[in-house]
Amino acid sequence: MMRILIAEDELLERKAMRKFIEDNFSDIDVVGEAENGRKAITLANTLAPDIIFMDIKMPGINGLEAIEQINSVTPSIKFILVSAYDSFDYAKKAMRFGIKEYILKPGKKDEIVKALLRVQKEIEEERVQSQEKMQSDQLLKERLIMKLMHHTIDESVMETQRDLYPDMKSGFFLVCSGADWGQLEETLARCIADPYILLQSEGNITVCVLAQKIHSKADLLTLARKIQLDSGMFIGIGYPYTHIGQLPKSYSEAYAACFQLAGEQNSRYGFLKRTKERAIDEVISTILDEVTKGNNEQAIATFKKHASRFSSADRENLYIEMKSILLKRDIATEEHSVSALKSTQDFQTFITMSCLKLNEYYQSKQYLMQAKTYIQNHYQSAITLEETASFVNLSPNYFSNLFKQEIGETFIDYLTKVRLQKAKELIEENLYSLKEISYMVGYKDPNYFSRVFKKYYHDSPKRFQQGIFKK
């Protein structure tokens, strides 16, 4: 049922419009009438109509002013303007708010019907699109939480997070046992202010919170207590992490904590308690430290020495932490989970591949540092990409791709930026002519230098110089 509000200062006009709509549209409900712009604003907020018939000329706040205020709060409301004046100025102002329907008084019945049908069709199409988007987003959210739960961190996970949760500052998992789905949904809606994803599996309900601020352990305990008091379930809490690649670890912690709580029956919410001395954690830290440095031999030697002591949870923890090391540096990883590493040899291969990727990453950074230093020292001359690639002992094609990928701009764009920044500094010093500065920053043609400078700074070198002198 479509909901409509009639805003018209003439009582007879309002009643006539109401009767006409009610007599001709069984699927439209007239939810209210407003005799002026201020009343229209109030009723728009309280009645939430889909369409407003808005007279332009009304006492106090006129129709266009009312539309502007309503539109700023509820932009989804559609408007059909009604006016006794055929004024292009009104139509122009209305177009700013996306209003296409404009009826002159006295409105012909067929014009009103056509306008309503057009707006009705537009609303229905938008509703279908909105529903399709909601379904698509829900599917993406379910895929995201499933991948996080199964430790399958790939580029699609990070892309989904950037698209759906661009403001994520931290994230964590809750695993709830003994909960009723409907009741929990209501409880979470009241207790959690941040965006979250729900999934029911294996008799548990898993909650992934992707928060817009960094949460502490105390925050999570307070949240879990609120949820638990309202629902009476067991709630295992995973630690909060700031990178999407670390969230599988939070899920593992929450899952283990939930079953630990249910088994002990002492508390109904909390983090996983370490029940034994975890000297193996120091071993994991040592391996991670060596992997971070790219020291494959030392990392493998430490892993082999203690491999027999690793539980499946320890291996999972090591795997997640290693993936996180790579992801923090935007290094692509294989799209498999820890379950794919079935043997000790598989895990050693994963360690080796991680070290190789990190060494390639560090080497790339070293090449680029050398290239940037070379550019800083030789920008005055006619240096080329090929010349710079040769200096760092890379092929021109590989160097070009590496430079664009890591620096975010082409070699030429970067060189131009360096030259023009230096030119700007020299102009500000006011010690040399513009022609001299052109040569000093590597441009042999002063006219070409002027064109490049203007394109980059949106002003010619001469006008830029004059602007400095005026200050």
Side-chain angles (χ1 to χ4, degrees):
M1 181 71 75
M2 207 74 68
R3 297 163 58 81
I4 193 164
L5 171 68
I6 300 172
E8 163 68 59
D9 63 328
E10 294 290 339
L11 176 62
L12 293 178
E13 292 276 357
R14 284 202 312 275
K15 296 304 179 184
M17 180 65 76
R18 181 176 197 131
K19 187 174 188 313
F20 176 78
I21 293 171
E22 290 175 342
D23 289 347
N24 290 275
F25 293 89
S26 60
D27 57 346
I28 293 181
D29 181 22
V30 179
V31 296
E33 300 176 22
E35 64 274 16
N36 55 53
R38 188 173 299 282
K39 184 70 175 292
I41 294 167
T42 301
L43 292 181
N45 290 331
T46 57
L47 300 177
D50 300 299
I51 305 170
I52 299 180
F53 259 99
M54 183 73 78
D55 186 17
I56 291 178
K57 285 288 187 178
M58 289 190 292
I61 297 176
N62 67 37
L64 288 176
E65 292 168 339
I67 288 172
E68 185 170 9
Q69 291 191 40
I70 294 169
N71 192 266
S72 67
V73 177
T74 317
S76 60
I77 294 178
K78 306 295 180 186
F79 295 90
I80 298 176
L81 291 187
V82 184
S83 176
Y85 305 96
D86 186 8
S87 170
F88 182 64
D89 287 337
Y90 286 136
K92 273 199 310 183
K93 290 177 182 177
M95 288 170 63
R96 287 186 308 169
F97 305 106
I99 299 168
K100 307 181 184 71
E101 302 301 331
Y102 193 96
I103 298 173
L104 289 176
K105 291 182 180 180
K108 295 179 181 179
K109 292 182 178 180
D110 63 328
E111 289 180 352
I112 296 172
V113 170
K114 287 178 182 178
L116 270 172
L117 289 175
R118 282 194 294 266
V119 175
Q120 197 173 16
K121 182 181 178 183
E122 184 180 344
I123 291 173
E124 287 170 351
E125 288 175 350
E126 287 180 0
R127 284 178 177 175
V128 170
Q129 291 172 359
S130 176
Q131 184 66 27
E132 289 175 348
K133 183 164 191 316
M134 283 177 61
Q135 292 173 349
S136 174
D137 286 351
Q138 183 59 33
L139 185 60
L140 284 173
K141 290 175 183 178
E142 289 178 4
R143 287 177 180 169
L144 175 62
I145 193 172
M146 288 291 289
K147 287 198 170 190
L148 293 174
M149 290 167 63
H150 291 90
H151 313 290
T152 311
I153 303 297
D154 53 31
E155 180 56 36
S156 70
V157 167
M158 291 180 283
E159 186 176 337
T160 301
Q161 180 251 304
R162 288 192 293 267
D163 289 343
L164 297 181
Y165 307 101
D167 299 322
M168 173 191 159
K169 297 292 188 297
S170 68
F172 59 91
F173 271 88
L174 303 174
V175 174
C176 309
S177 175
D180 173 77
W181 176 270
Q183 180 189 2
L184 182 60
E185 278 192 304
E186 294 178 7
T187 300
L188 294 178
R190 286 195 300 271
C191 297
I192 303 180
D194 292 298
Y196 60 87
I197 310 171
L198 272 179
L199 186 71
Q200 189 166 22
S201 63
E202 301 176 4
N204 304 312
I205 299 176
T206 301
V207 186
C208 178
V209 180
L210 299 117
Q212 296 174 350
K213 66 176 184 178
I214 295 178
H215 282 286
S216 66
K217 288 171 58 180
D219 293 335
L220 272 56
L221 284 168
T222 301
L223 172 64
R225 183 173 183 274
K226 286 181 183 177
I227 299 171
Q228 196 281 321
L229 288 174
D230 202 46
S231 61
M233 68 192 75
F234 289 103
I235 305 174
I237 313 171
Y239 287 93
Y241 295 96
T242 57
H243 192 279
I244 191 76
Q246 296 171 298
L247 291 194
K249 186 177 180 183
S250 183
Y251 170 69
S252 297
E253 293 163 347
Y255 186 84
C258 183
F259 281 89
Q260 187 181 72
L261 292 165
E264 293 178 353
Q265 297 286 324
N266 293 325
S267 176
R268 301 189 75 87
Y269 66 92
F271 294 95
L272 178 65
K273 297 175 185 175
R274 300 298 184 182
T275 57
K276 60 178 180 177
E277 182 62 33
R278 297 294 294 162
I280 197 70
D281 288 347
E282 296 181 11
V283 175
I284 291 175
S285 295
T286 301
I287 295 172
L288 292 172
D289 186 51
E290 297 297 347
V291 168
T292 303
K293 295 174 183 175
N295 295 335
N296 179 56
E297 290 184 8
Q298 293 89 328
I300 290 291
T302 305
F303 178 76
K304 287 173 68 175
K305 181 178 178 181
H306 299 279
S308 61
R309 299 170 55 198
F310 278 73
S311 66
S312 59
D314 295 329
R315 291 194 178 213
E316 192 172 277
N317 184 22
L318 177 59
Y319 173 82
I320 293 169
E321 292 291 352
M322 288 174 61
K323 292 273 282 191
S324 178
I325 290 169
L326 298 173
L327 288 168
K328 282 181 178 178
R329 293 162 176 79
D330 292 325
I331 300 173
T333 61
E334 297 296 326
E335 295 185 13
H336 57 60
S337 65
V338 66
S339 60
L341 307 178
K342 299 183 182 301
S343 66
T344 300
Q345 183 57 52
D346 289 339
F347 219 102
Q348 289 177 205
T349 301
F350 178 66
I351 292 173
T352 298
M353 291 304 298
S354 299
C355 289
L356 286 172
K357 287 178 180 291
L358 282 162
N359 281 323
E360 288 175 4
Y361 170 82
Y362 296 140
Q363 187 65 58
S364 297
K365 293 293 184 185
Q366 185 177 351
Y367 287 141
L368 292 172
M369 286 298 295
Q370 292 173 350
K372 288 166 79 172
T373 300
Y374 185 81
I375 291 170
Q376 289 289 343
N377 293 336
H378 297 84
Y379 68 87
Q380 307 93 330
S381 59
I383 60 172
T384 63
L385 181 147
E386 290 75 15
E387 179 185 335
T388 310
S390 175
F391 176 77
V392 296
N393 296 314
L394 293 176
S395 70
N397 187 52
Y398 179 77
F399 174 72
S400 176
N401 292 333
L402 177 65
F403 198 96
K404 177 69 184 297
Q405 178 182 334
E406 296 296 330
I407 303 299
E409 55 189 341
T410 65
F411 172 83
I412 290 298
D413 288 341
Y414 182 82
L415 174 60
T416 301
K417 183 170 72 174
V418 170
R419 285 172 165 168
L420 294 181
Q421 181 60 38
K422 185 61 180 176
K424 183 180 173 185
E425 293 171 5
L426 291 170
I427 292 174
E428 289 171 344
E429 289 176 5
N430 195 30
L431 297 176
Y432 307 95
S433 68
L434 293 177
K435 186 175 182 180
E436 288 174 316
I437 291 172
S438 172
Y439 283 99
M440 291 170 71
V441 298
Y443 291 100
K444 304 307 177 189
D445 181 349
N447 291 326
Y448 179 68
F449 163 68
S450 180
R451 290 197 299 272
V452 174
F453 189 97
K454 185 174 183 178
K455 182 179 179 181
Y456 194 85
Y457 288 115
H458 308 292
D459 213 350
S460 68
K462 188 169 185 178
R463 286 178 62 85
F464 181 79
Q465 187 181 54
Q466 290 170 345
I468 294 173
F469 293 157
K470 288 180 182 178
K471 294 178 182 178

